[in-house]
Amino acid sequence: MKQAVLRRAAAVSAMAAAFVLAVAGPAAAHVTVNPSTATQGGYTKVSFRVPNESDTASTTKLEINLPENAPVASVSIKPVPGWTAAPVKTKLATPIKAHDSEITEAVTKITWTADKGAEIKPGTFQEFDVSLGPLPETDQMVFKALQTYSDGTVVRWIDEPTTDGTEPESPAPVLKLAAASDASTPASAPAEADASGSADAEESNSGAAWGIAGLVAGLAGLVLGLLAYRKAAQGAGA
């Protein structure tokens, strides 16, 4: 009888642990763009946040692909100490207009490569800032990213958003674009709007919610396991 109760307690605890892992799964770190929203026709500074997910290898290179179907006329890269940025321009099939000028080529890829000693070590992250504008009149920009590790592993964050709202296995960073309102700053004034603070707060709140849910589930499993163990001990004593 005692062994059966103990087996039941172990099963309950295992189920609780599995639930905690399932809750933590969607919060797994991946390459993101922050802030995640901006205004069509405006300028913005975005940060590509790159966490290191390996326990043994460091991130040595990041490749960000800008969507060719939604080109941006002006792309400026903020230097990152210890990293070399290499932008690649592509001739546009259809030229775009920016400040009364016709733009025939645009940056479609940026590759950052780490110098020795500047790699993103396990348990750390790095941010790569880029100024973009005028932003295209489209609902979103999908930045397909490739993350290279020191052991040769390449993680491809290239999955586009799903139609049902679920997160794909390897999601690409996505910048949502809202239509400009009458109160918006005109596109002719290239002022960089840095909304990273609010985006960081939103991401932090989301992570905290997942963490609390996992903690509650873990505590519930622990309590159930202890109660089952106590019951088994009382039965054995009787």
Side-chain angles (χ1 to χ4, degrees):
M1 178 64 179
K2 179 179 178 181
Q3 291 181 347
V5 174
L6 289 176
R7 284 197 298 269
R8 190 178 301 113
V12 170
S13 299
M15 290 176 61
F19 180 78
V20 171
L21 292 176
V23 168
H30 52 264
V31 177
T32 58
V33 61
N34 303 280
S36 58
T37 59
T39 304
Q40 298 175 8
Y43 284 73
T44 190
K45 184 195 79 173
V46 297
S47 296
F48 293 99
R49 185 172 301 161
V50 184
N52 193 94
E53 295 186 296
S54 173
D55 294 330
T56 57
S58 300
T59 296
T60 58
K61 185 167 67 173
L62 171 69
E63 177 183 311
I64 295 291
N65 293 275
L66 282 67
E68 293 188 33
N69 61 344
V72 176
S74 175
V75 177
S76 300
I77 304 168
K78 183 177 180 179
V80 178
W83 290 74
T84 301
V88 174
K89 286 189 174 182
T90 300
K91 187 174 181 61
L92 301 177
T94 304
I96 58 176
K97 290 280 189 179
H99 306 303
D100 299 324
S101 299
E102 186 176 81
I103 308 298
T104 59
E105 62 177 14
V107 174
T108 54
K109 182 170 69 173
I110 307 172
T111 301
W112 286 269
T113 305
D115 297 337
K116 186 174 179 57
E119 305 92 340
I120 307 174
K121 307 279 190 304
T124 67
F125 73 94
Q126 181 61 275
E127 291 183 330
F128 302 86
D129 294 346
V130 180
S131 174
L132 302 171
L135 296 174
E137 294 183 359
T138 184
D139 292 340
Q140 63 184 16
M141 296 180 70
V142 179
F143 302 96
K144 297 187 177 182
L146 275 66
Q147 181 178 8
T148 301
Y149 285 87
S150 55
D151 60 2
T153 301
V154 178
V155 182
R156 299 167 61 84
W157 304 105
I158 61 173
D159 293 347
E160 299 195 10
T162 59
T163 56
D164 60 4
T166 58
E167 185 175 82
E169 182 178 354
S170 300
V174 177
L175 178 65
K176 298 286 187 181
L177 299 178
S181 64
D182 294 339
S184 298
T185 302
S188 58
E192 291 185 2
D194 184 3
S196 58
S198 59
D200 288 348
E202 180 180 351
E203 182 174 324
S204 177
N205 291 338
S206 176
W210 283 114
I212 292 172
L215 180 61
V216 170
L219 289 174
L222 179 60
V223 170
L224 289 174
L226 290 174
L227 288 175
Y229 178 80
R230 182 178 178 183
K231 183 177 180 181
Q234 291 175 343

